[in-house]
């Protein structure tokens, strides 16, 4: 057994929390302009960017808490896969660094891992599942 494997549940929780926080910031930028990024100023709520902002902000909060972790992470993984293929495949889908798509690709793969592995040691799902 690897000496680090005993830390796996805690490290999974840290990965989930840090990733969800960074993801939530994308949503707060689109919905509330916090932090302000000019590219996302004035995003309409009932638009594709607005819907993405809702998923990013509220999905990020749920993942930070570790609440409904698996289904939320699955949905967010799909959202990021769609974002990658809609916005980051031109001119070359095999080089995401050239198209600015490395973030979307990483979020998608991290979220699908979290959907399969669960929330880790510090997830509220663990408390709710024991009742």
């Amino acid at each position: 057994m690897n000496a680090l494997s005993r830390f796996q549940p805690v490290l999974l929780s840290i990965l989930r929390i840090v990733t969800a926080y960074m993801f939530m910031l994308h949503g707060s930028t689109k919905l509330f302009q916090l932090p302000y990024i000019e590219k996302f100023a004035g995003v309409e709520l009932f638009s594709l960017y607005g819907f993405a902002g809702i998923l990013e902000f509220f999905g990020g909060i749920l993942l930070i808490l570790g609440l409904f972790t698996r289904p939320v992470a699955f949905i967010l993984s799909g959202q990021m896969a769609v974002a990658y293929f809609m916005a980051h495949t031109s001119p070359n889908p095999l080089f995401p660094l050239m198209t600015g798509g490395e973030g979307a690709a990483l979020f998608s793969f991290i979220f699908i891992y979290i959907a399969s592995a669960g929330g880790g040691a510090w997830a509220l799902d663990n408390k709710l599942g024991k009742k």
Side-chain angles (χ1 to χ4, degrees), residues 81-93:
V82 168
Y84 179 78
F85 286 107
M86 283 183 71
H88 301 290
T89 55
S90 183
N92 192 335

Side-chain angles (χ1 to χ4, degrees), residues 23-35 53 56-57:
F23 196 68
M24 184 194 68
L25 288 177
H26 285 268
S28 70
T29 296
K30 290 178 181 110
L31 297 178
F32 312 116
Q33 287 77 52
L34 293 171
E56 290 163 359
F57 184 74

